[in-house]
């Protein structure tokens, strides 16, 4: 069966520090991978998606970046965190165009102080 | 105006009541999802709809493509149904890939 992992579960970082959140998927090949952010009191916002290794598309301009070094690994990074980067970050995968379900990881709660 | 609007934002009901949550969208879509987010943050996909109606247990989801509207119904509501329910529409990006756009969610609280 397919599973999706994220770590860490919670993170508290100072402003200006770097960030690396990792997401891995098991039990499937060549998934579409997604990073979402849910700010307090707001809906989910798509940040990045990837249809294959090294292929990253960004939906919104920001100081975050994403990388996909392996088929089932998706990394969200920042060189210098801002206060506004605080939120709940969710990784998700689906099987591609027309997929009827998108599967979400457990999320990482990031607090930038 | 958001591309996906949900109503109500908050809903409190007594156990056993029939619940309706609404979702309206303004873009062309290939499908619509209903998701459930529990207090800890975990998200579960409930339904994917492109037309008509789907039922799973006490949950029923309907969609009217012409009116760009979907509803999620819960029959015989129970306290364990308390969660945030999120509507998301699947549409195409400028790159030709699909993406999900989310509503801000409806916080449902069922009182015993």
């Amino acid at each position: 069966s397919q599973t999706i992992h994220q770590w860490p579960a919670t993170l508290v970082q100072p402003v200006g520090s770097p960030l690396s959140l990792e997401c891995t998927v098991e039990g499937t090949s060549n998934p579409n991978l997604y990073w979402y952010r849910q700010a307090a009191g707001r809906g989910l916002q798509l940040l990045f998606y990837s249809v294959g290794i090294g292929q990253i598309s960004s939906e919104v301009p920001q100081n975050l970046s994403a990388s996909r070094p392996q088929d089932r690994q998706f990394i969200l990074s920042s060189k210098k965190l801002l206060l506004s980067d605080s939120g709940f970050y969710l990784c998700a995968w689906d099987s591609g165009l027309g997929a009827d379900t998108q599967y979400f990881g457990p999320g990482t709660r990031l607090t930038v102080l | 105006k958001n591309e996906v609007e949900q109503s109500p934002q908050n809903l409190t009901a007594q156990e056993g009541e029939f619940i309706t949550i609404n979702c309206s969208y303004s873009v062309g879509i290939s499908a619509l999802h209903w998701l459930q987010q529990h207090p800890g943050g975990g998200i579960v996909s409930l339904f994917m709809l492109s037309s008509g109606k789907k039922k799973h247990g006490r949950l029923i989801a309907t969609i009217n493509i012409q009116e760009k509207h979907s509803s999620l119904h819960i029959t015989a509501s129970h306290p364990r149904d308390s969660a945030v329910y999120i509507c998301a529409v699947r549409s195409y990006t400028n790159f030709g890939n699909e993406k999900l756009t989310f509503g801000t969610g409806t916080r449902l609280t069922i009182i015993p």
Side-chain angles (χ1 to χ4, degrees), chain A residues 15-92:
Chain A
V15 168
S17 64
L19 173 73
S20 181
L21 303 181
E22 189 162 343
C23 170
T24 58
V25 180
E26 295 177 0
T28 186
S29 296
N30 197 31
N32 281 4
L33 295 172
Y34 306 82
W35 278 112
Y36 296 95
R37 176 171 61 203
Q38 186 176 39
R42 300 183 65 181
L44 283 163
Q45 181 186 39
L46 177 64
L47 301 176
F48 300 95
Y49 66 92
S50 170
V51 298
I53 295 174
Q55 299 178 63
I56 310 293
S57 298
S58 174
E59 284 296 300
V60 292
Q62 59 214 319
N63 71 319
L64 300 171
S65 62
S67 62
R68 185 170 177 175
Q70 300 180 47
D71 181 44
R72 288 169 286 181
Q73 184 185 30
F74 205 23
I75 298 172
L76 183 69
S77 304
S78 174
K79 292 182 180 178
K80 287 186 178 181
L81 284 169
L82 305 172
L83 285 174
S84 57
D85 291 324
S86 294
F88 189 58
Y89 288 82
L90 285 154
C91 179

Side-chain angles (χ1 to χ4, degrees), chain A residues 34 36 38 42-44 46 49 51 57 59 88 90 94 96-102 104 106 109, chain B residues 33 35 37 39-43 45 47-48 86 90 92-93 95-100 102-104:
Chain A
Y34 306 82
Y36 296 95
Q38 186 176 39
R42 300 183 65 181
L44 283 163
L46 177 64
Y49 66 92
V51 298
S57 298
E59 284 296 300
F88 189 58
L90 285 154
D94 65 31
L97 198 67
D100 64 0
T101 302
Q102 192 163 99
F104 289 83
R109 194 163 300 281
Chain B
H33 294 253
L35 310 170
Q37 186 173 28
I43 292 181
S45 179
F47 294 104
M48 190 281 293
I86 302 170
R90 187 179 285 269
Y92 290 96
T93 71
F95 301 98
N97 300 105
E98 289 188 308
K99 69 171 185 179
L100 287 180
F102 295 83
T104 54

Side-chain angles (χ1 to χ4, degrees), chain B residues 59-101:
Chain B
L59 300 177
I60 303 166
T62 63
I63 188 169
N64 185 318
I65 298 293
Q66 287 73 31
E67 295 185 3
K68 294 188 175 180
H69 180 269
S70 176
S71 293
L72 176 69
H73 306 285
I74 305 175
T75 62
S77 59
H78 190 276
R80 65 173 174 266
D81 296 326
S82 298
V84 175
Y85 291 83
I86 302 170
C87 171
V89 298
R90 187 179 285 269
S91 60
Y92 290 96
T93 71
N94 293 334
F95 301 98
N97 300 105
E98 289 188 308
K99 69 171 185 179
L100 287 180
T101 304

